Amino acid sequence: MNQILDLYKGPDASQRTATSETTDAARTTDTESTKTSVRSACLAEHPDWAEVLQWGCCEKHGEYPIVVRTVDGATVTPFGGECPKCKAEKKQTAIMGRLAIPPRFRDCTVKSFHAANPEQQRARASVIEFCKDIRAHIEHGDWVVMAGNSGTGKTHLACAIAKVASAAGYSVLFTRVRPMIKRIRRTWRPGSVETEEEVIRKFTDLDLLILDEVGVQTGTDQEHLEFFDVLAERYENMKATILLSNFPFSVSQEDRKRGVRGLEDYLGSKVYDRCFEDGSIVIPFTWESHRGRGAK
């Protein structure tokens, strides 16, 4: 029994002290090594700096320069006294806020999209090609339509495109169709500070508009008119647009008789045909949902 207890009780006091001292010494050495490495890297990244006169310490990112002497003898505070990495993160958060990308999808990139089968690989490849030539696609007013099963990664890839377009300097907004329509309708209330035309203009003037949940609306004639007002003006003014829908692209006559609707039925032939014009991309998402299995 004593032998068994000895396996669990750990080292005695003298052993613990020796171990603790060794660990502390190693930790101190590692800290000093890291500090030296960070400082050397910082100066290497900024050849116009001669010396860092004052260092700050961020609890999250470690050391950063506060006051710097440049090679021409000037004394400057390059980051305003703030940790540059924290500053960059705040800027990124602000950008994500302007894009209105949901927090769940803010870290989504094309690279992080899980492509396990040929269809998923083709979808990712299409988005990669679009992003590689993002300026040409946006300037040309190309559209991307992602349609098919829910939980298959449409929002993931659309948000990845949004981030690339924003980084290229374009104005981008991600929104669901219903909130867009509600915002337009709020202008009908007495005392509204915005007119309907002004709000519609905010959606039509964007370089890239991403509309999620196309077809989820109640389907009233008025909703269709508001939705198509936005799409028609974006089309006429050659504004790039991304449409996301859980509707299939098209349905058979047999399914239609049973009341099944496709994206073409909702969009109408004019808008639907726009999705297939030169430069635009149509991506079907026909695989099963990955929700609950680690995919978005």
Side-chain angles (χ1 to χ4, degrees):
M1 176 63 74
N2 289 337
Q3 290 177 335
I4 295 175
L5 291 176
D6 286 341
L7 294 175
Y8 292 91
K9 70 181 183 180
D12 58 26
S14 62
Q15 289 175 315
R16 287 197 298 271
T17 300
T19 300
S20 176
E21 289 175 350
T22 301
T23 302
D24 289 344
R27 186 179 294 115
T28 299
T29 301
D30 289 343
T31 300
E32 291 301 321
S33 176
T34 300
K35 183 183 296 185
T36 301
S37 176
V38 169
R39 293 185 175 186
S40 298
C42 186
L43 290 173
E45 291 174 3
H46 300 276
D48 56 324
W49 293 358
E51 181 184 8
V52 177
L53 303 177
Q54 182 182 350
W55 292 88
C57 186
C58 172
E59 292 184 359
K60 183 177 181 181
H61 300 113
E63 286 196 320
Y64 63 92
I66 294 180
V67 182
V68 172
R69 182 171 59 82
T70 64
V71 292
D72 59 5
T75 301
V76 297
T77 53
F79 307 112
E82 185 179 358
C83 169
K85 290 185 178 180
C86 285
K87 198 170 184 177
E89 288 177 356
K90 289 178 183 178
K91 182 179 180 181
Q92 183 66 12
T93 299
I95 291 173
M96 293 300 104
R98 289 197 298 274
L99 300 182
I101 291 178
R104 180 179 294 276
F105 300 102
R106 288 182 179 176
D107 293 329
C108 289
T109 63
V110 178
K111 185 177 180 180
S112 65
F113 177 76
H114 181 63
N117 62 50
E119 288 180 309
Q120 293 168 343
Q121 290 165 7
R122 283 194 292 271
R124 183 173 64 180
S126 295
V127 172
I128 289 174
E129 288 304 311
F130 191 88
C131 290
K132 281 182 178 179
D133 210 7
I134 192 72
R135 294 185 183 278
H137 283 297
I138 290 182
E139 297 298 335
H140 191 251
D142 295 331
W143 288 25
V144 178
V145 183
M146 304 181 188
N149 299 331
S150 63
T152 49
K154 295 186 293 292
T155 304
H156 181 125
L157 289 175
C159 290
I161 294 174
K163 291 163 69 175
V164 172
S166 177
Y170 293 101
S171 58
V172 184
L173 179 69
F174 176 98
T175 184
R176 289 178 288 117
V177 174
R178 287 295 296 277
M180 180 184 74
I181 291 175
K182 287 180 179 179
R183 184 173 177 188
I184 294 171
R185 289 184 169 186
R186 280 199 296 268
T187 64
W188 303 350
R189 298 174 183 173
S192 173
V193 297
E194 294 178 302
T195 66
E196 181 176 356
E197 183 179 355
E198 288 172 340
V199 171
I200 290 178
R201 185 69 60 190
K202 289 182 178 179
F203 291 108
T204 58
D205 283 352
L206 292 160
D207 295 319
L208 174 62
L209 176 64
I210 302 172
L211 291 173
D212 194 9
E213 297 186 351
V214 173
V216 174
Q217 304 79 269
T218 59
T220 64
D221 290 342
Q222 188 59 49
E223 281 192 347
H224 277 91
L225 286 174
E226 293 155 358
F227 177 61
F228 291 125
D229 279 347
V230 173
L231 291 188
E233 190 154 345
R234 291 191 65 80
Y235 172 69
E236 291 168 2
N237 289 286
M238 300 182 65
K239 294 291 187 177
T241 305
I242 298 178
L243 303 179
L244 311 180
S245 178
N246 293 336
F247 280 31
F249 278 105
S250 60
V251 295
S252 66
Q253 290 296 332
E254 185 177 339
D255 286 338
R256 187 170 284 109
K257 289 178 182 178
R258 295 201 302 266
V260 179
R261 299 180 66 198
L263 189 60
E264 182 178 5
D265 298 312
Y266 181 79
L267 292 177
S269 59
K270 183 177 180 180
V271 176
Y272 187 76
D273 290 344
R274 171 68 183 93
C275 303
F276 295 90
E277 290 189 1
D278 180 47
S280 296
I281 299 175
V282 173
I283 307 175
F285 286 69
T286 57
W287 50 91
E288 293 182 2
S289 170
H290 285 172
R291 284 181 182 153
R293 288 183 286 168
K296 296 180 176 73

